[in-house]
């Protein structure tokens, strides 16, 4: 059909720079926070916390899994909300909900005129700020689940997807490099937020930290929300009107081996990738180091991860995005077995530090490369639909991995030995994701013709 063949309009370097900057900041505010929740988790589990009554440290067994789920629910909804947000964005861009006849009620016409991309993103920022503010009034874990988990997570989804969904459309040759830079915002945000949140928790306590962070989200988030870009497809005219991005996965696409394996890989990688980040602060304390050291190590992990996303994106444009993604996934899974488990067996801080460095670098590869890989394997016009579904699956995986890890940690064994089950679980998840991505590489090459650089 003509709507699938219409060329996209040219784009200026100035617009590309604006998309890069706004997307980077959006990811820093959303994913950057998600990757620092381990600092809150360690605080909630400490005897000095002032939010939950009675203190989790005094409960037996300790509700580690439930507290981990507060963070993973937020992270999962940040990604999983795209299954709802992306179709709404597409309809807004094309004016599908605009009034069609003069008989439409006046109040409905006014409401539809107010429904814009900026309305969605600003609503997301307000929801995030409200979630943190209400969390400061919580006294139980279920109240944190509703506020710091559900409300913040869905608000982040409303900010994340309108800024990220159209971003790959603005780049071609250097798409992986551009996506790597944008997604490095998650590491950069974590680098800044982790020690700042830890310092606030130590100085003013949990409730005032949440209130200050709510205000911070408003001040930083509203300008980002205002800078939301429009999809390039919305400017393409066809015989049937403006071209609409596909936002639903077709049945023909859903049964393809590459799609099924990509979805399974996304689930397993998301389930495993957040486990080390969630438990870096608490495991560091179990090694005999301070909570501040744990927060600083989490910040260092995010910094390495941010650099990795840019470098692996650059490497993917030259060595092949699928090749680079496979290599980084394999290194991430091997680092768990080689260094994390070794640090447990030998009670070794140097081995733990080596794991943080190698894992943080290798784990960044998947985040940087999978958006460009989706566009390459499934086509740029299928990107919105496939990306929304894959991120929904990743959201489910995130909500699966860390709570299971918390349940494993909540066993009878104490000290560093309690983390052995988490390390085995994490390594198995990441190795499974590696095998699935190898399958994607194989089936994609068989269908399109084998190339070494792909």
């Amino acid at each position: 059909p003509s709507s699938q063949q219409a060329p996209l309009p040219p784009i200026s370097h100035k617009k590309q720079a604006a998309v890069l900057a706004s997307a980077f900041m959006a990811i820093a505010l959303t994913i950057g926070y998600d990757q620092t929740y381990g600092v809150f988790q360690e605080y909630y589990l400490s005897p000095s916390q002032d939010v939950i009554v009675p203190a989790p440290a005094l409960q037996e067994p300790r509700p580690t899994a439930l507290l981990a789920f507060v963070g993973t629910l937020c992270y999962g909804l940040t990604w999983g909300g795209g299954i709802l947000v992306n179709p709404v964005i597409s309809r807004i861009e094309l004016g599908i909900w605009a009034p069609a006849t003069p008989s439409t009620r006046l109040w409905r016409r006014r409401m539809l005129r107010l429904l814009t991309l900026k309305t969605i993103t600003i609503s997301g920022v307000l929801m995030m700020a409200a979630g943190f503010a209400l969390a400061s009034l919580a006294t139980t874990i279920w109240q944190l689940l509703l506020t710091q988990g559900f409300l913040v997570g869905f608000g982040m989804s409303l900010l994340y997807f309108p800024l990220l969904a159209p971003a790959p459309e603005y780049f071609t040759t250097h798409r992986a490099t551009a996506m790597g830079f944008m997604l490095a915002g998650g590491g950069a945000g974590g680098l800044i937020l982790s020690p700042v949140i830890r310092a606030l928790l130590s100085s003013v306590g949990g409730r005032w930290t949440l209130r200050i962070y709510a205000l911070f989200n408003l001040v930083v988030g509203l300008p980002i929300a205002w800078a939301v870009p429009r999809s390039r497809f919305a400017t393409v005219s066809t015989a049937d009107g403006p071209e609409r991005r596909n936002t639903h996965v077709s049945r023909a696409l859903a049964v393809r081996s590459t799609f099924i394996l990509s979805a399974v890989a996304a689930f397993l990688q998301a389930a495993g990738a957040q486990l080390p980040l969630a438990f870096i602060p608490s495991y560091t304390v179990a090694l005999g180091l301070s909570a501040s050291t744990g927060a600083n190590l989490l910040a260092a992990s995010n910094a390495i991860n941010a650099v990795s996303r840019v470098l692996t994106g650059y490497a993917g444009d030259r060595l092949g995005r699928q090749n680079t993604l496979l290599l980084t996934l394999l290194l991430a899974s091997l680092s768990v077995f080689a260094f994390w488990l070794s640090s447990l067996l030998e009670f070794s801080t140097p081995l733990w530090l080596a794991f943080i460095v190698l894992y943080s670098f290798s784990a960044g590869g998947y985040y940087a490369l999978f958006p460009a890989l989706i566009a390459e394997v499934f086509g740029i016009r299928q990107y919105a639909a496939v990306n929304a579904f894959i991120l929904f699956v990743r959201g489910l995986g995130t909500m699966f991995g860390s709570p299971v890890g918390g349940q494993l940690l909540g066993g009878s064994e104490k000290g560093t030995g309690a983390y052995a089950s988490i390390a085995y679980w994490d390594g198995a998840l990441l190795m499974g994701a590696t095998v699935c991505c190898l399958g994607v590489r194989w089936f994609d090459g068989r269908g399109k013709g084998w190339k070494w650089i792909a």
Side-chain angles (χ1 to χ4, degrees), residues 21-32 128 156 159-160 163-164 185 224:
S22 60
F24 179 92
M25 290 300 297
I27 292 179
L29 196 62
T30 56
I31 306 302
M128 290 159 56
M156 287 183 172
L159 177 65
Y160 180 93
L163 282 136
L164 267 293
I224 299 171

Side-chain angles (χ1 to χ4, degrees), residues 32-213:
Y33 161 77
D34 287 331
Q35 294 184 171
T36 61
Y37 175 75
V39 177
F40 274 109
Q41 180 176 304
E42 190 279 329
Y43 174 78
Y44 290 143
L45 288 167
S46 70
S48 60
Q49 67 88 33
D50 64 350
V51 178
I52 304 170
V53 181
L58 303 177
Q59 299 179 32
E60 196 61 42
R62 298 173 74 186
T64 306
L66 198 55
L67 279 169
F69 190 61
V70 174
T72 52
L73 176 62
C74 180
Y75 208 156
L77 284 174
T78 303
W79 282 338
I83 205 76
L84 300 174
V85 177
N86 267 342
V88 173
I89 296 170
S90 179
R91 284 167 170 79
I92 288 173
E93 286 172 336
L94 297 180
I96 290 177
W97 285 332
T101 64
S103 62
T104 307
R105 293 182 181 274
L106 179 62
W107 66 268
R108 186 172 184 269
R109 292 203 302 269
R110 288 176 175 172
M111 285 188 63
L112 291 172
R113 278 198 295 267
L114 291 173
L115 193 59
T116 65
L117 292 178
K118 288 185 175 65
T119 307
I120 300 296
T121 53
I122 290 172
S123 298
V125 172
L126 296 176
M127 195 175 295
M128 290 159 56
F132 286 115
L134 291 172
S136 72
L137 305 176
T139 57
T140 62
I141 298 178
W142 73 264
Q143 290 170 340
L144 289 178
L145 282 167
L146 290 176
T147 55
Q148 197 173 358
F150 178 82
L151 198 57
V152 171
F154 193 69
M156 287 183 172
S157 185
L158 293 175
L159 177 65
Y160 180 93
F161 280 98
L163 282 136
L164 267 293
E169 302 166 10
Y170 286 82
F171 304 92
T172 52
T173 307
H174 303 291
R175 181 175 290 141
T177 304
M179 294 305 297
F181 176 83
M182 294 177 205
L183 293 165
L191 168 66
I192 296 169
L193 294 174
S194 182
V196 170
I197 290 173
R198 179 65 254 178
L200 285 171
L201 290 171
S202 299
S203 59
V204 300
R207 296 192 183 281
W208 275 104
T209 297
L210 289 164
R211 290 163 189 160
I212 292 170
Y213 198 69

